[in-house]
Amino acid sequence: MVFQELRNKLLQKAITGQLVPQLDSEPAVEQLGPAPKPEEVPFAIPEKWKWVRLGQLLVKSPKVVLDDEQEASFVPMESVAAGFCNKVALTESRCWREVKKKYTNFADGDVIIAKISPCFQNRKSALIQGAINGVACGSSEFFVLRCLPQLLNEYLLWFVKSAYVIQYGVNSFKGSVGQQRVGRSHLYDIPLPLPPLAEQKRIVAKLKPLLEELDAMERAYTELSGPMYAHFKDLILQKAISGKLVPQLDSEPAVEQLGPAPKAEEVPFAIPEKWKWVALEDLFQFVDYRGKTPIKSASGVRLITSSNVRKGYLDHTRCEYISIDEYQSRQSRGVSHKGDILFTTEAPLGNVALADLDVFSVGQRVITLKSKGLALNECFVWFLLSNYFQTEILKQATGSTVQGIKAARLKKLVLPLPPIEEQKRIAARINKLFAEADKLLALKELSL
């Protein structure tokens, strides 16, 4: 999955010296013991870093001391969260005398890592912080890693979660299927890229917010379907139509009132001071072909019907045509052009899209809205799709089996009118946000 890959890449950057800059003020790391052989080194690291064996930076046989009658945290395998996180439940307690010889012992500051498959591959590892009386015990399937001063325990935690360590451990598995484990000697032998201690701290500080951001993105990605996806778009459109999506600029002039302003009790919500409530008939010329059924033909000029108009776009999978003669005979009722707003009056009611063809005509259940100059179609196509306006349409609709709205009623409905430059900024912002949401949704569907 894409977020797993992003986390892997982030940790790889961290352990290869590409996440934070190296500083001239920081001294180079001294070589600790014999360095791994060149053929054991899997990737390049900065000049001041050194390749060492993990075991060279760990306390051998770390001790845990606690009075027998005191309580300690008890940590079974299920208490440690898998994945790229540091979550472990430390609230369950046991008397130290009863558990100290039966389980693996560790303390605050230690890193624990599952050694058995599939817990090892699933990254069941954690840094112990806040254990009861500073001490814990848990599954015998944990390794306990206690760092020497040259190695920051938080850096070690992210190192053991890296794809490099996971693959190294899997390659050294011993045991039968379902009971495979990483051996302690193999884990201690793994080559570790060691940065200066100050740089380890900077790496950890940079990693935490980046991983949290990826977590938030993944949650949004997971939820971005069905009602959540629709709610996101509704929220954006409501912010847009109420003047909360982009800032108002002092340099832009106020809008002049077109036609009679709605009464105070008729105003559904507040809008910015420079905006005005305006009826659709004052903003648009209506081109309405209703009452005359077009004569269709096998070819000629495209006919856009209500089945083609979706919420925000035109669906061209179904194509119908009228003849050139039929098209010319309809010109007297008005001409629809590319960029005009197309609005469905019934079956379905209230779908809105921008015309994207150079030459076309529209069917009986589609009205063309042609801007009189003060309404930017790219902005108002979204205003017409807002929850507010869609609700107003339903209030004015007639019919029991099939609901529809008459042009005379549609013309009287009002919308907020921002300054034209602000309309441009609103349209650009909506398009950008919707495009990002669509990409996430497509990514989600691709990975299912």
Side-chain angles (χ1 to χ4, degrees):
M1 184 176 165
V2 64
F3 290 98
Q4 186 88 338
E5 294 173 5
L6 288 173
R7 293 184 182 96
N8 278 328
K9 289 180 180 179
L10 189 59
L11 293 191
Q12 186 65 16
K13 282 182 174 292
I15 67 174
T16 57
Q18 301 175 60
L19 189 64
V20 300
Q22 286 75 49
L23 303 181
D24 293 337
S25 58
E26 292 173 1
V29 173
E30 294 184 7
Q31 186 65 54
L32 302 172
K37 298 175 183 178
E39 60 269 22
E40 294 179 294
V41 172
F43 46 80
I45 56 174
E47 187 177 354
K48 289 186 176 182
W49 294 30
K50 290 292 187 294
W51 281 104
V52 298
R53 304 281 185 188
L54 173 59
Q56 295 171 336
L57 293 167
L58 299 177
V59 175
K60 303 298 189 293
S61 302
K63 305 297 181 184
V64 177
V65 178
L66 187 67
D67 291 343
D68 280 354
E69 302 307 315
Q70 286 190 292
E71 296 289 304
S73 292
F74 182 69
V75 186
M77 185 64 72
E78 57 267 24
S79 293
V80 178
F84 296 83
C85 62
N86 181 30
K87 295 180 180 178
V88 53
L90 296 168
T91 54
E92 186 178 348
S93 66
R94 300 283 177 87
C95 176
W96 187 242
R97 174 173 47 81
E98 297 174 358
V99 296
K100 66 179 182 179
K101 294 183 179 180
K102 299 178 182 179
Y103 298 96
T104 301
N105 300 337
F106 39 94
D108 280 351
D110 291 343
V111 172
I112 60 173
I113 176 173
K115 55 187 171 183
I116 191 168
S117 176
C119 298
F120 175 79
Q121 302 97 303
N122 292 341
R123 296 177 169 85
K124 273 185 171 279
S125 50
L127 169 61
I128 302 302
Q129 296 171 306
I132 297 170
N133 291 316
V135 170
C137 64
S139 170
S140 61
E141 298 293 352
F142 288 130
F143 283 131
V144 179
L145 310 180
R146 183 173 296 175
C147 298
L148 292 173
Q150 299 95 326
L151 180 61
L152 189 68
N153 51 13
E154 292 172 285
Y155 177 78
L156 173 61
L157 175 65
W158 298 120
F159 173 70
V160 298
K161 289 181 182 287
S162 69
Y164 159 61
V165 171
I166 299 301
Q167 191 58 54
Y168 183 95
V170 169
N171 290 343
S172 65
F173 270 168
K174 301 291 185 182
S176 59
V177 176
Q179 292 290 313
Q180 293 182 308
R181 294 175 176 83
V182 180
R184 183 183 300 276
S185 60
H186 284 97
L187 186 67
Y188 279 21
D189 276 346
I190 187 171
L192 177 146
L194 182 65
L197 189 60
E199 186 172 348
Q200 293 179 46
K201 294 177 181 178
R202 289 188 290 113
I203 290 170
V204 168
K206 186 71 176 289
L207 266 176
K208 184 177 180 181
L210 290 175
L211 288 167
E212 288 175 351
E213 186 176 346
L214 279 175
D215 290 343
M217 289 174 64
E218 187 171 23
R219 286 193 296 272
Y221 162 91
T222 302
E223 295 171 351
L224 195 56
S225 61
M228 179 61 72
Y229 183 63
H231 176 71
F232 171 78
K233 289 197 168 185
D234 289 341
L235 179 63
I236 294 301
L237 294 186
Q238 186 56 38
K239 284 182 173 291
I241 200 172
S242 57
K244 298 177 181 178
L245 189 63
V246 301
Q248 286 76 48
L249 304 181
D250 293 338
S251 59
E252 293 173 0
V255 171
E256 294 184 9
Q257 184 65 54
L258 300 175
K263 297 176 182 178
E265 61 271 19
E266 296 175 330
V267 173
F269 52 83
I271 57 175
E273 187 178 354
K274 290 184 178 182
W275 294 29
K276 293 292 186 295
W277 285 98
V278 181
L280 286 190
E281 64 182 351
D282 293 316
L283 292 174
F284 298 98
Q285 173 193 348
F286 281 54
V287 178
D288 185 4
Y289 286 104
R290 287 184 296 176
K292 183 183 179 183
T293 303
I295 301 172
K296 299 176 185 178
S297 64
S299 61
V301 176
R302 270 293 306 279
L303 181 70
I304 301 298
T305 68
S306 59
S307 64
N308 298 123
V309 183
R310 304 299 187 186
K311 292 188 179 297
Y313 70 98
L314 287 179
D315 179 1
H316 294 294
T317 54
R318 179 183 176 185
C319 297
E320 295 183 90
Y321 300 88
I322 58 174
S323 68
I324 299 295
D325 290 342
E326 176 71 12
Y327 172 70
Q328 291 176 344
S329 71
R330 293 162 64 87
Q331 302 286 54
S332 62
R333 312 221 13 210
V335 181
S336 302
H337 293 98
K338 186 176 183 178
D340 288 343
I341 294 177
L342 305 180
F343 179 94
T344 60
T345 58
E346 63 179 66
L349 171 62
N351 280 0
V352 189
L354 291 177
D356 58 6
L357 298 174
D358 292 318
V359 179
F360 67 97
S361 189
V362 297
Q364 286 178 290
R365 295 192 294 270
V366 179
I367 289 179
T368 301
L369 305 183
K370 303 178 73 67
S371 175
K372 293 181 178 180
L374 293 178
L376 182 71
N377 290 345
E378 289 81 357
C379 177
F380 272 79
V381 70
W382 298 121
F383 281 13
L384 292 167
L385 285 168
S386 66
N387 269 345
Y388 154 70
F389 195 77
Q390 293 287 310
T391 301
E392 292 301 301
I393 293 169
L394 291 175
K395 289 178 182 178
Q396 299 297 324
T398 58
S400 53
T401 306
V402 178
Q403 287 193 311
I405 187 169
K406 297 182 183 299
R409 292 191 176 191
L410 183 62
K411 289 178 180 180
K412 300 300 181 183
L413 296 181
V414 295
L415 278 172
L417 177 64
I420 193 70
E421 291 301 318
E422 187 172 349
Q423 292 181 50
K424 294 177 183 178
R425 292 184 285 116
I426 290 171
R429 181 65 174 158
I430 291 173
N431 290 334
K432 181 178 180 181
L433 289 171
F434 281 14
E436 291 174 353
D438 289 341
K439 285 180 182 177
L440 280 178
L441 182 61
L443 203 59
K444 175 181 175 62
E445 291 174 346
L446 188 65
S447 64
L448 290 178

